[in-house]
Amino acid sequence: MSIRTEKTNMPFFMKDCALIARMAGIDTAINLREMRERLLHCPIESIFHHFCETVIRPTFDDPEYRNDFAIWAARDLQDRVLAEQLGIINPYSFHDLEEVRRCVIDIIDDRLSEVTYIPWVKMDNDFRFMRAVTVVFDAGKQFELPEDLVAALPEMSLSSVYYHYVEARRRTENHKDDFTVWLSGFGSGTEGLIEALGCIDFYFMSLPELKACLVRAVAQFKGEPAIG
Amino acid sequence: MRWRSLRGNRQLDKVLDYYEPVVGENAISQLRQLARDLQGARVVHVNSTRVGGGVAEILGWLVPLMEDLGLDTSWEIVEGAPEFYQITKSFLKALQGNKVPLTRRMLDTYEKTSEENAERLRPTLEDADFVFIHDPQPAALFDLCPNRKGIWVWRCHIDVSHPNRKYWTYLRSRVSQYHASIFSMPEFAQSLPHPQFLIAPSIDPLSQKNCELVDGEVSSTLMHLGIPSDLPILTQISRFDRFKDPVGVIEAFDLLGQSTPARLVLAGGGATDDPEGAAVLKEVRDAANGNGRIHILELPSDAHRTINALQRASTLVIQKSTKEGFGLTVTEALWKSKPVIGGNVGGIRQQVHNHHTGYLVNSPQGAALRVQELLRNPVRIRQIGERATKFVKENYLLNRHLREYLTLMLGVRRGLTNHLMTN
């Protein structure tokens, strides 16, 4: 399927990113009540890190839960109910990260009102708040046409996919991915491709899964059958 | 020269070229792009030895790879009389939680030796754009280089989660003024008045300990060590230390009984200069009680290729620690596609994921259960092994480690905004 666009557009400059984690500089939480207190005051970058950057830092691809709070609840607090309640949170379905923070605190408040003791963890298993520094750099590639995007996706690094498709939602107007924003600049003709990119429920995927899903979703616009 | 021999007659210009077939083109390209903004930066690493120990191993590849990427990198060491090394050894032990006395005389020797080293190294260090001070031995150099112009980072490789307070208070006063510090795991980080970064350790896939071995090397190593290859081999590679729980491993092995025939290899460094190690080794021998299927090996510290062969000969690798730092022996085993049955502690928890890369266990019974389960299911062993290699490739090879160093350098230089763009 070829793509006929209404107008031309600026080239898409492919970026890549690298992340380094750092301690957030606040005290650790050794029980659920402390966790609630720390959450009230921790930097918003910590919320972002523990919910959204878990896929890009050195990590296991297929964890039981996608955010660190749910993992801590399951593994260290051994509170499976709380873990499930936290694990289902999709931060990208909220307007902003402050809403995510409030949601987590609400869930913890509910749980604290249900249990008959304050759930606590063994020494050394306390929750350590982190954040990260992300460095964005030129990937050394650019492309001009929507078809080029379709061809470029399979070759993109996972961190590049993360930057343009996931992280972009934090910095673009209307929380769109970079590909969609760029394709919109061509006017009519790219709606199908934009729709294919937009219908992926990405948060609960690992980056390799997301990349494979994106490649499959846009393959029809290359005029070739999807593979894999 | 290791780099020369790896690709036959093909001459490769850069050390990085040798890693590309292992880590992939994208990973190497990322490093090159990241390093563009650091071209010509003068980087100095300082530690206490060029040979032996994990830090020297890391710098052995980190320095040439940084040079390869266009950073003007050098490696300096602090030197001193035997007494200085005794004191820094005390520092290492104390910072890892052991009770070790600290006297004024020890501190005087440490400070005097640091001053002597500063005299020699001052021009290089004060002129550098980035100085990485590894571990406590060279930590005092910061104060002794008052005209420094670059960014100084203290890189702590050891587990300081429960340090001897007296030693930590002294060291803290030395490292607090650095621009940043690096710890291997969040659990190791201590409260300091500057940014604390986290860089997990990594393995070098082309090193003697991790490279592919030539045909027949694994079987010849087994033969040389007197280990028959008639049964599945379970291996724990660790120094003879109670925290590694070698006696617990033997207990688990004994629980397997007749229904799950196997051999157990416990291989660790020689215990000649370590009284506690010698005591543990004796306990291990007593626990083995002459069982011909338990092979207890004391290996020299440079037996990297032998360890490589033992890990490759193993059906399963065990690391049943009750306290652990990161656990690079786990990383090494996973890289070689071996499921790991590991203690539910420290960095093992980051690496061993139940049903995916192995099993976390909390008791000899738990270890025995998982060994039985896996030995009866070779398909599962293969599947876990494949996942394990992929997991290490994506997370714990040296390219990730180097990438994080470069990211840190760019981040610190630009003032640590959360999100920064390079040119």
Side-chain angles (χ1 to χ4, degrees):
Chain A
M1 187 190 296
S2 64
I3 305 168
R4 291 192 182 176
T5 60
E6 184 186 36
K7 52 186 180 181
T8 57
N9 194 6
M10 293 278 288
F12 186 97
F13 293 96
M14 206 193 291
K15 302 280 185 193
D16 205 334
C17 70
L19 170 148
I20 181 152
R22 53 180 285 210
M23 303 306 287
I26 60 170
D27 287 341
T28 61
I30 201 153
N31 63 43
L32 194 54
R33 185 178 282 167
E34 279 190 2
M35 171 60 95
R36 185 195 181 280
E37 295 308 308
R38 307 285 184 267
L39 277 166
L40 277 172
H41 305 294
C42 73
I44 201 68
E45 288 77 18
S46 264
I47 303 285
F48 182 66
H49 180 74
H50 292 296
F51 268 97
C52 304
E53 291 178 330
T54 50
V55 285
I56 189 77
R57 67 177 190 210
T59 190
F60 179 54
D61 252 0
D62 193 16
E64 197 171 5
Y65 300 106
R66 282 281 160 209
N67 73 71
D68 290 331
F69 302 110
I71 289 172
W72 183 70
R75 193 176 69 175
D76 298 313
L77 281 182
Q78 311 225 323
D79 185 339
R80 306 296 305 190
V81 174
L82 179 64
E84 288 166 11
Q85 290 168 342
L86 294 171
I88 196 69
I89 297 172
N90 177 349
Y92 295 99
S93 66
F94 291 78
H95 179 67
D96 63 26
L97 286 164
E98 286 298 345
E99 274 187 16
V100 178
R101 186 204 302 263
R102 280 194 293 277
C103 174
V104 176
I105 291 170
D106 283 348
I107 289 171
I108 291 176
D109 277 340
D110 283 348
R111 192 66 187 143
L112 283 169
S113 71
E114 288 166 2
V115 292
T116 52
Y117 65 100
I118 309 295
W120 53 275
V121 300
K122 283 198 279 190
M123 182 139 170
D124 290 340
N125 291 352
D126 34 354
F127 190 91
R128 290 164 172 87
F129 285 85
M130 293 189 277
R131 57 194 289 184
V133 174
T134 305
V135 172
V136 183
F137 53 97
D138 188 358
K141 293 169 191 162
Q142 65 180 71
F143 42 83
E144 312 264 332
L145 302 170
E147 289 92 330
D148 299 336
L149 166 64
V150 178
L153 263 171
E155 306 305 321
M156 270 190 195
S157 70
L158 294 176
S159 43
S160 197
V161 169
Y162 168 80
Y163 178 72
H164 288 303
Y165 192 79
V166 181
E167 201 272 348
R169 289 158 208 268
R170 201 184 172 203
R171 59 185 153 74
T172 56
E173 214 176 322
N174 300 323
H175 308 298
K176 300 282 187 199
D177 66 88
D178 287 339
F179 305 133
T180 296
V181 172
W182 178 68
L183 289 168
S184 304
F186 286 96
S188 64
T190 58
E191 296 87 346
L193 189 49
I194 288 173
E195 194 186 340
L197 286 167
C199 64
I200 296 169
D201 188 5
F202 64 91
Y203 179 65
F204 294 99
M205 292 181 188
S206 66
L207 285 179
E209 283 169 346
L210 171 60
K211 181 177 166 182
C213 197
L214 283 168
V215 169
R216 275 198 303 273
V218 303
Q220 57 182 308
F221 297 95
K222 201 175 169 186
E224 290 175 7
I227 298 167
Chain B
M1 182 85 171
R2 173 153 62 96
W3 319 114
R4 211 50 36 99
S5 63
L6 295 167
R7 287 237 192 134
N9 294 326
R10 189 180 156 198
Q11 290 291 307
L12 298 176
D13 293 334
K14 303 277 193 181
V15 179
L16 271 170
D17 291 339
Y18 291 96
Y19 288 96
E20 191 172 314
V22 185
V23 303
E25 192 186 335
N26 269 339
I28 299 295
S29 162
Q30 275 184 333
L31 294 174
R32 293 207 162 104
Q33 293 293 338
L34 261 177
R36 279 201 324 178
D37 270 18
L38 293 165
Q39 291 303 293
R42 273 163 297 187
V43 183
V44 185
H45 292 273
V46 188
N47 79 320
S48 63
T49 176
R50 281 189 202 282
V51 189
V55 180
E57 261 182 50
I58 290 167
L59 292 178
W61 58 258
L62 185 63
V63 170
L65 288 183
M66 280 189 167
E67 279 185 311
D68 231 16
L69 288 168
L71 283 68
D72 180 2
T73 314
S74 62
W75 176 4
E76 305 289 346
I77 57 167
V78 287
E79 297 164 338
E83 193 185 355
F84 172 71
Y85 291 105
Q86 280 302 321
I87 292 163
T88 57
K89 205 172 171 184
S90 297
F91 261 92
L92 292 178
K93 286 179 88 170
L95 291 168
Q96 293 178 90
N98 296 293
K99 281 186 183 166
V100 185
L102 178 64
T103 64
R104 187 61 246 176
R105 182 187 146 85
M106 289 166 76
L107 292 179
D108 287 345
T109 304
Y110 174 74
E111 286 165 8
K112 185 167 175 289
T113 309
S114 298
E115 278 166 24
E116 288 162 6
N117 279 287
E119 284 301 315
R120 181 172 53 88
L121 298 172
R122 194 171 288 123
T124 310
L125 298 179
E126 287 188 341
D127 201 34
D129 298 304
F130 295 94
V131 176
F132 289 96
I133 298 290
H134 295 263
D135 279 343
Q137 298 92 331
L141 289 173
F142 182 94
D143 288 333
L144 299 166
C145 294
N147 298 318
R148 58 193 173 268
K149 67 174 189 121
I151 290 162
W152 284 56
V153 180
W154 181 55
R155 200 324 176 194
C156 180
H157 294 268
I158 56 176
D159 174 355
V160 289
S161 52
H162 301 288
N164 177 313
R165 298 316 300 184
K166 217 170 173 184
Y167 276 84
W168 173 246
T169 302
Y170 177 79
L171 183 63
R172 192 181 191 280
S173 71
R174 293 295 185 174
V175 300
S176 286
Q177 296 164 74
Y178 280 64
H179 297 94
S181 52
I182 306 172
F183 293 91
S184 295
M185 289 176 31
E187 290 80 358
F188 297 173
Q190 282 285 334
S191 173
L192 286 165
H194 59 229
Q196 297 161 68
F197 290 93
L198 301 165
I199 299 183
S202 63
I203 58 167
D204 176 353
L206 302 184
S207 68
Q208 295 289 309
K209 209 186 275 182
N210 297 303
C211 65
E212 293 289 336
L213 297 178
V214 295
D215 283 348
E217 193 170 349
V218 171
S219 51
S220 66
T221 302
L222 287 183
M223 200 180 296
H224 175 74
L225 295 170
I227 304 169
S229 48
D230 53 344
L231 296 171
I233 293 174
L234 318 173
T235 302
Q236 173 159 305
I237 309 274
S238 270
R239 65 178 186 274
F240 293 100
D241 177 322
R242 287 198 178 82
F243 288 131
K244 310 295 180 188
D245 198 18
V247 173
V249 177
I250 292 175
E251 201 181 321
F253 184 75
D254 287 342
L255 286 167
L256 295 178
Q258 297 301 317
S259 61
T260 315
R263 291 189 178 276
L264 173 65
V265 177
L266 293 168
T272 46
D273 64 343
D274 174 10
E276 195 183 324
V280 175
L281 184 56
K282 184 178 179 307
E283 287 169 25
V284 170
R285 291 215 164 99
D286 289 347
N289 196 24
N291 185 335
R293 289 185 181 173
I294 299 177
H295 305 266
I296 299 162
L297 308 175
E298 281 187 90
L299 299 176
S301 59
D302 61 350
H304 302 312
R305 239 178 143 84
T306 304
I307 289 171
N308 187 342
L310 279 172
Q311 287 168 329
R312 289 183 191 279
S314 305
T315 309
L316 304 173
V317 168
I318 300 172
Q319 188 60 57
K320 215 199 91 44
S321 308
T322 55
K323 183 179 174 188
E324 187 60 77
F326 183 74
L328 274 177
T329 52
V330 171
T331 327
E332 290 160 12
L334 295 175
W335 175 240
K336 296 172 185 104
S337 303
K338 305 300 172 185
V340 173
I341 293 166
N344 190 9
V345 290
I348 300 176
R349 299 188 346 152
Q350 281 184 23
Q351 302 183 72
V352 176
H353 298 272
N354 282 336
H355 309 288
H356 295 283
T357 57
Y359 290 97
L360 289 172
V361 296
N362 302 283
S363 63
Q365 289 77 8
L369 173 73
R370 296 309 188 181
V371 168
Q372 281 177 340
E373 195 178 310
L374 283 171
L375 288 186
R376 285 173 192 156
N377 196 340
V379 175
R380 184 133 195 79
I381 289 177
R382 203 188 65 240
Q383 288 168 339
I384 290 178
E386 284 168 5
R387 254 184 246 136
T389 302
K390 182 169 170 283
F391 173 64
V392 174
K393 183 177 173 179
E394 287 169 359
N395 295 294
Y396 295 115
L397 295 186
L398 49 70
N399 58 299
R400 188 271 310 154
H401 200 149
L402 176 56
R403 187 181 70 220
E404 291 183 334
Y405 262 95
L406 299 173
T407 309
L408 179 150
M409 291 159 80
L410 289 165
V412 176
R413 197 167 72 174
R414 298 282 192 88
L416 286 178
T417 49
N418 297 314
H419 201 124
L420 60 95
M421 309 283 280
T422 63
N423 295 323

